[in-house]
Amino acid sequence: MRVALFITCLADQFYAEAGVATVRLLRALGVEVDFPQEQTCCGQPAFNAGHWNEARSLALRTLGVFQEAEYVVLPSGSCASMVKNHYLELLPGNKEALELAERTYELSQFLVRVLGVSELGKGLSGKKIAYHHGCHALRELGVREEPLLLLKNSGAEVLPWEAAEECCGFGGLFSVKLPEVSLAMADRKLATLPQAEVLTSTDAGCLLHLSGRMGKQGKGMRVVPLATLLWEAYAG
Amino acid sequence: MRVKAKLYPKEAARLLREKPGVRDAVTGATLHFEAGRKKAYQEVDAEAWRERAKRVKDHLLTHLDQYLELAEKRLQEKGVQVHWAEDPEEAHRILREIVARRGVRRAVKAKSMLTEELGVNPLLEALGVEVYETDLGEYLIQLLGEPPSHIVGPAIHLALSDIQRLFHSRFGTPLDASPEALAAVARRVLREAFLTAELGISGANFLVAETGTLVLMENEGNIRLATSLPKVHVAFVGIEKLLPRLHDLALFLPLTARAATGQRLSTYVSLIQGPAKEGEEGPEEVHVVLVDHGRTALLHDPEAWEVLRCLRCGACLNACPVYRQTGGHPYGYVYSGPIGAVLDPGLLGLEDTHPLPYASTLCGACYEACPVKIPIPKLLLTWRRRAVEQGLAQGWERAAIQAFSKVMQSPSLYRLFSKGLRGLPLPQDWLPLLRAWTEGRGPLKPSPKPFHQLWQELKE
Ligand code: SF4
């Protein structure tokens, strides 16, 4: 099986090690991994802000980049949802967009639903983890159980978190268009954060926002993308 | 009502800064309602209920002209006087005429968002009519001279201490009066108003076309009194509030109550069948004013009409993490929160409301809550797209998006940008964006090397 990785711009720039972890993990599970060099951004920031012309041209070039791929896997829930759910709104009736949507998966979704893997290893034994459900992974992709299953089966303790399914306030341009509201939302999220060793999520944007806010408040916690932890689950 | 939606970003920021108590009060109340809704949805096949309710409403809206005619006929058969109001001015004319003919000096009102929309209170006051809001929350904000902060709980932004202070200055109650004592004072004042008012005003949760039945849901009993004690009852009904058949209520009453407050049914449901007959108690005259105010035009908007399914249950507000931070006032119109963000542009146009569709992170919690499955995130995206098409996006945003997409169009520019991020000064256009980000979160720290560079090392 061959998988083309779509690392997406935010992870590429800010969580590069999550990309590395994704490659190592997929290879360890016997999957061949490609990284099409021409890839950039899925177009989500422009799309969500209403700039559909710009988003459309980025969607079209992404379609071209991944035309040949058997599967496309992203370590990002919201970018996966962009490709899976929104490309067709931008490009109604586009057959390639429809096909790409069917072949595209967020990483944990791919592991559980396509590879049928529910246990990676025991590398996270005893680790206390707080899992933030990225909204698009949760409500647009329906990825709720997969990350929890993989984390729990690797020996980690996923701590109960009252606000685990609440939006953190990132929302792409929302965080700069309405900075005060965005920060108030992050604060609410962080005020209920349990005493964990690691905070994780499928989404780089949410993590960037939450970890930045935590730092500003002088709080410290290890904040890493889910892909990084899943590789640790495997490799120990 | 005056529209101040354009100020949303400023007002939201100001409220967070100046009235942090609002955030606590609203968060507490909405989380409570939201937990109630979730529990109440779990008790039933909520998915099936919502789908069914959506279909009924879609059927109604796609045959609205027929059902409106039927409703008018049935209402008239019951002795109800039916009026049509295209806009607030026409609604005012109708009300003014009733007030003059019946010599109304005092009116009691049930909570109604549509009458807020129409500015009924200011009109009555201008006519020299004393108006009493009889829903406790609505009464509180009337005393304060504020608009409602929430569709269902107009005063949820107030803390007990705010109400204690208000009643102290108005009625001389002690500053530490208990909620019971405060309610007793309100009850005394309102009882007097009920008994002496010549006019009762309400909205409507539903109007059943098949039978001409006006349906009102409430928990305090005040609506029942407002529609039964005064000699004249006027109900303002948005034309989208119809239901085709009486038996649709079997679905819509429990669904609305569950969505709004987590109740299985509201405490009181009134089914009003016209004025009192010989020997019955009740109003001599019942008027139904069917109000358009932008709804027909919205119904003909193929991308935005679905918002007219709305039952005004407020579930989307309770579920919305953005609304929770500020309550409803910064949105600057009657309808706030997620529904306001897609209904207000539909009713008033984007010119006056365009920041509202941006008052969301598109998290989707509103859609999950909505009893009639209004695709609020999709509608938000539609209004945003139109805002950009109409040139309403701010200059810096347009420049930033254009620069961004130019970079992302070309892998070699992207590589250059990637290098720049790790050393070079950033392009000017991006600065406002960057500043807004870093102020609350500290500087951006890119990975030492981007993944596309690490990939070269992984390949071997
Ligand atoms: S949009 Fe849906 S959830 Fe919101 S008030 Fe209307 S019916 Fe209720």
Side-chain angles (χ1 to χ4, degrees):
Chain A
M1 184 185 286
R2 262 183 107 83
V3 156
L5 277 189
F6 190 4
I7 290 299
T8 75
C9 51
L10 219 54
D12 184 32
Q13 296 303 326
F14 295 97
Y15 290 101
E17 50 326 323
V20 176
T22 306
V23 175
R24 293 209 167 112
L25 185 60
L26 288 172
R27 280 184 183 161
L29 295 169
V31 177
E32 265 184 87
V33 182
D34 285 334
F35 177 73
Q37 296 284 330
E38 299 287 293
Q39 63 178 272
T40 58
C41 165
C42 67
Q44 187 189 194
F47 176 71
N48 281 357
H51 303 259
W52 285 30
N53 285 338
E54 286 79 1
R56 194 174 291 120
S57 31
L58 290 173
L60 280 169
R61 75 174 300 282
T62 304
L63 286 185
V65 171
F66 291 100
Q67 207 166 23
E68 305 292 323
E70 189 184 346
Y71 288 102
V72 178
V73 171
L74 303 88
S76 156
S78 66
C79 306
S81 175
M82 179 70 199
V83 176
K84 259 184 125 57
N85 297 315
H86 300 304
Y87 273 17
L88 267 177
E89 287 163 49
L90 278 170
L91 307 160
N94 185 309
K95 207 166 127 271
E96 284 167 22
L98 190 68
E99 284 169 8
L100 181 65
E102 281 164 7
R103 293 178 282 133
T104 298
Y105 294 87
E106 178 277 327
L107 175 63
S108 71
Q109 190 184 32
F110 180 75
L111 294 176
V112 175
R113 293 194 205 166
V114 180
L115 294 185
V117 173
S118 59
E119 199 185 323
L120 295 165
K122 291 289 173 200
L124 299 175
S125 278
K127 274 242 157 60
K128 292 186 191 310
I129 292 175
Y131 181 78
H132 160 66
H133 286 273
C135 299
H136 295 176
L138 180 66
R139 299 197 185 84
E140 290 184 1
L141 290 178
V143 173
R144 172 181 266 127
E145 295 305 327
E146 292 87 343
L148 302 177
L149 180 78
L150 292 169
L151 290 172
K152 283 177 188 159
N153 285 348
S154 68
E157 188 188 344
V158 180
L159 299 178
W161 182 5
E162 181 197 329
E165 294 191 2
E166 276 178 38
C167 177
C168 67
F170 170 59
L173 272 197
F174 179 86
S175 61
V176 289
K177 281 176 83 99
L178 292 155
E180 298 84 1
V181 185
S182 165
L183 292 174
M185 289 164 72
D187 291 350
R188 141 92 189 149
K189 190 94 195 184
L190 293 174
T192 58
L193 183 65
Q195 286 291 325
E197 290 160 51
V198 197
L199 167 62
T200 190
S201 177
T202 57
D203 266 83
C206 306
L207 294 178
L208 212 56
H209 166 66
L210 286 174
S211 66
R213 189 61 183 162
M214 249 193 256
K216 199 84 183 176
Q217 293 174 342
K219 287 188 210 152
M221 187 182 288
R222 191 173 167 230
V223 180
V224 292
L226 182 69
T228 307
L229 282 188
L230 294 182
W231 170 241
E232 285 172 22
Y234 182 90
Chain B
M1 181 182 175
R2 239 183 81 214
V3 185
K4 288 181 260 176
K6 266 189 174 159
L7 300 176
Y8 173 76
K10 261 203 195 107
E11 287 300 309
R14 194 168 66 92
L15 188 135
L16 277 165
R17 216 169 39 240
E18 292 173 11
K19 295 188 189 167
V22 167
R23 182 176 169 222
D24 296 334
V26 174
T27 300
T30 51
L31 283 174
H32 174 74
F33 282 137
E34 168 73 352
R37 176 192 65 77
K38 280 193 173 153
K39 194 159 155 275
Y41 268 19
Q42 265 163 23
E43 292 178 345
V44 297
D45 186 348
E47 190 43 42
W49 284 32
R50 292 167 71 220
E51 185 58 34
R52 176 99 199 106
K54 167 186 184 286
R55 295 229 186 119
V56 172
K57 269 298 193 185
D58 282 352
H59 170 77
L60 181 270
L61 291 169
T62 47
H63 300 77
L64 190 57
D65 46 350
Q66 294 162 33
Y67 283 112
L68 281 168
E69 273 174 38
L70 180 62
E72 179 178 41
K73 191 159 152 252
R74 292 286 183 263
L75 284 164
Q76 284 167 345
E77 285 166 7
K78 291 191 149 76
V80 174
Q81 303 183 43
V82 180
H83 312 260
W84 298 86
E86 199 53 50
D87 51 34
E89 289 69 42
E90 287 188 16
H92 287 188
R93 190 169 39 72
I94 293 158
L95 190 57
R96 211 182 293 125
E97 192 274 321
I98 295 170
V99 163
R101 189 167 44 76
R102 299 285 311 205
V104 175
R105 310 289 302 278
R106 192 172 258 203
V108 281
K109 257 186 95 231
K111 185 185 148 305
S112 144
M113 298 310 279
L114 177 57
T115 58
E116 301 279 346
E117 210 182 299
L118 300 172
V120 163
N121 286 9
L123 170 76
L124 288 174
E125 281 155 18
L127 296 175
V129 177
E130 255 186 302
V131 197
Y132 288 84
E133 290 291 347
T134 61
D135 169 272
L136 185 56
E138 192 78 28
Y139 180 56
L140 294 176
I141 59 164
Q142 186 188 22
L143 291 177
L144 285 169
E146 287 182 1
S149 183
H150 185 285
I151 298 179
V152 173
I156 63 162
H157 60 298
L158 301 178
L160 176 59
S161 56
D162 297 323
I163 300 163
Q164 286 165 328
R165 264 199 309 277
L166 171 68
F167 273 49
H168 174 72
S169 69
R170 282 303 179 104
F171 306 113
T173 48
L175 270 171
D176 61 350
S178 67
E180 290 74 24
L182 297 173
V185 173
R187 198 174 286 130
R188 203 186 61 227
V189 177
L190 293 176
R191 215 167 254 167
E192 159 78 13
F194 281 127
L195 292 171
T196 50
E198 298 93 357
L199 173 64
I201 295 176
S202 76
N205 288 92
F206 305 104
L207 171 58
V208 178
E210 175 191 50
T211 53
T213 307
L214 206 56
V215 184
L216 293 157
M217 303 170 66
E218 56 160 335
N219 285 320
E220 296 174 11
N222 63 300
I223 299 186
R224 252 188 83 58
L225 292 173
T227 58
S228 58
L229 291 178
K231 291 295 170 220
V232 183
H233 170 204
V234 180
F236 290 91
V237 185
I239 54 169
E240 82 285 15
K241 287 287 197 148
L242 268 63
L243 284 179
R245 297 156 307 174
L246 194 63
H247 102 214
D248 292 321
L249 290 178
L251 171 64
F252 281 86
L253 290 176
L255 179 59
T256 308
R258 274 167 207 271
T261 51
Q263 290 168 287
R264 293 183 177 128
L265 209 55
S266 55
T267 312
Y268 297 88
V269 177
S270 303
L271 306 184
I272 293 175
Q273 304 274 25
K277 301 190 190 70
E278 279 283 312
E280 284 178 358
E281 283 181 26
E284 294 162 6
E285 287 179 22
V286 175
H287 299 261
V288 165
V289 185
L290 290 159
V291 179
D292 188 312
H293 199 204
R295 285 153 174 82
T296 303
L298 184 51
L299 188 61
H300 289 108
D301 182 333
E303 289 183 319
W305 68 277
E306 280 183 277
V307 72
L308 290 171
R309 288 203 293 266
C310 178
L311 311 178
R312 311 285 190 265
C313 71
C316 56
L317 275 62
N318 299 331
C320 178
V322 173
Y323 171 85
R324 272 185 210 146
Q325 306 310 317
T326 62
H329 288 161
Y331 294 81
Y333 192 56
V334 190
Y335 307 104
S336 57
I339 179 62
V342 291
L343 180 60
D344 301 352
L347 293 178
L348 306 166
L350 256 180
E351 282 281 323
D352 291 331
T353 56
H354 90 92
L356 293 186
Y358 290 93
S360 166
T361 59
L362 304 172
C363 81
C366 48
Y367 173 62
E368 224 171 46
C370 179
V372 282
K373 297 179 80 167
I374 297 173
I376 297 176
K378 195 183 105 194
L379 296 171
L380 290 166
L381 285 167
T382 299
W383 287 113
R384 290 179 186 190
R385 193 200 74 224
R386 290 180 178 182
V388 170
E389 283 167 0
Q390 293 176 25
L392 294 167
Q394 283 162 291
W396 65 262
E397 178 188 314
R398 217 171 327 121
I401 292 279
Q402 277 165 6
F404 177 81
S405 93
K406 202 171 167 78
V407 168
M408 295 300 173
Q409 277 301 340
S410 139
S412 55
L413 272 181
Y414 177 60
R415 299 282 187 269
L416 214 64
F417 160 80
S418 173
K419 282 213 185 78
L421 199 62
R422 289 166 183 73
L424 293 169
L426 289 148
Q428 286 298 318
D429 281 343
W430 290 64
L431 274 180
L433 271 173
L434 265 183
R435 214 178 308 118
W437 173 275
T438 52
E439 254 168 23
R441 304 170 191 83
L444 285 165
K445 289 180 225 108
S447 306
K449 286 182 191 172
F451 175 81
H452 62 256
Q453 212 170 318
L454 296 175
W455 170 253
Q456 306 303 327
E457 298 160 25
L458 281 166
K459 261 202 317 205
E460 279 85 58

